[in-house]
Amino acid sequence: MGYGEKDISLVSFQSVSKGYYGECGKRGGYMEVTGFGPEIREQIYKVASVNLCSNISGQILASLVMSPPKVGDESYESYSAEKDGILSSLARRAKTLEDAFNNLEGVTCNKAEGAMYLFPCICLPEKAIKAAEAAKTAPDNFYCRRLLNATGIVFVPGSGFGQLPGTWHFRCTILPQEDKIPAVVSRLTEFHKSFMDEFRD
């Protein structure tokens, strides 16, 4: 982007349970600090050093994440094939869900770029907003609860993340297994049509 280390102070975190390798349940990670002077880096290191270290398997996994197999390594071919397979599957899942959201009445969804979540924007009918007020909850939470009760699909209301007043969103992960996505889309589509018909102004 054209910035040097002295232009921006940045702290980045990564965990072995996140990313395409997604070793869920394993505890290990690392932190990178750039753009800070030596005095601040020393204090950060001091604070980090008083914590207990992660377990041995977490440390090994973090080391593998930071230094994956390279061309010429014995495991490079299998690593590369698995990585490419996972990433292409995630891209297909994201695109399928993005398209499904954009085909729902009153819903718009941007492309997922670098995350395992989509954040669709939903334009709710006034009757649904009033029903949410009567239930003493945010309209997007009202929608998400109704979806959960009707389909078992879990979305996180956008109101928990902060949003422009009068706009409603929800967060949806792209992590269900790829062969389960069509059923999720089918149940979501059916629920959404029924919800909109029930609360249509």
Side-chain angles (χ1 to χ4, degrees):
M1 293 175 61
Y3 295 107
E5 188 168 315
K6 295 183 179 170
D7 296 321
I8 298 176
S9 297
L10 181 67
V11 179
S12 302
F13 298 91
Q14 183 60 304
S15 164
V16 299
S17 65
K18 304 294 183 211
Y20 63 83
Y21 33 78
E23 297 293 340
C24 297
K26 301 294 183 187
R27 299 293 173 247
Y30 60 93
M31 172 176 81
E32 179 185 30
V33 179
T34 59
F36 291 92
E39 306 83 23
I40 295 175
R41 292 173 71 94
E42 182 181 336
Q43 295 304 314
I44 293 171
Y45 182 76
K46 196 183 296 182
V47 169
S49 296
V50 300
N51 291 324
L52 294 173
C53 66
S54 60
N55 56 49
I56 296 295
S57 64
Q59 292 181 49
I60 292 168
L61 284 168
S63 174
L64 293 171
V65 167
M66 292 186 293
S67 183
K70 294 168 186 51
V71 175
D73 290 348
E74 188 176 330
S75 62
Y76 177 77
E77 294 298 326
S78 61
Y79 163 78
S80 184
E82 184 174 344
K83 179 183 95 168
D84 292 348
I86 291 169
L87 292 175
S88 61
S89 175
L90 287 170
R92 287 190 301 271
R93 289 181 249 179
K95 180 66 174 148
T96 300
L97 287 166
E98 173 198 334
D99 290 346
F101 287 129
N102 283 320
N103 284 322
L104 297 177
E105 178 187 354
V107 178
T108 57
C109 184
N110 293 329
K111 180 180 176 183
E113 294 183 307
M116 295 183 187
Y117 301 102
L118 293 166
F119 286 88
C121 178
I122 182 167
C123 185
L124 292 166
E126 192 60 34
K127 279 173 65 176
I129 293 171
K130 290 200 179 329
E133 289 169 357
K136 298 185 182 346
T137 191
D140 52 2
N141 189 47
F142 180 75
Y143 180 90
C144 290
R145 281 188 185 174
R146 294 280 300 257
L147 174 69
L148 175 63
N149 290 336
T151 68
I153 297 171
V154 178
F155 286 170
V156 178
S159 50
F161 297 97
Q163 54 195 356
L164 291 173
T167 65
W168 310 109
H169 301 79
F170 48 84
R171 184 182 79 174
C172 167
T173 183
I174 62 168
L175 292 178
Q177 294 172 333
E178 190 170 1
D179 63 341
K180 306 271 193 255
I181 297 290
V184 170
V185 169
S186 176
R187 291 197 321 259
L188 169 64
T189 302
E190 185 179 329
F191 165 80
H192 186 78
K193 183 181 183 317
S194 170
F195 182 92
M196 296 301 277
D197 286 345
E198 180 181 350
F199 293 103
R200 195 171 306 285
D201 294 328

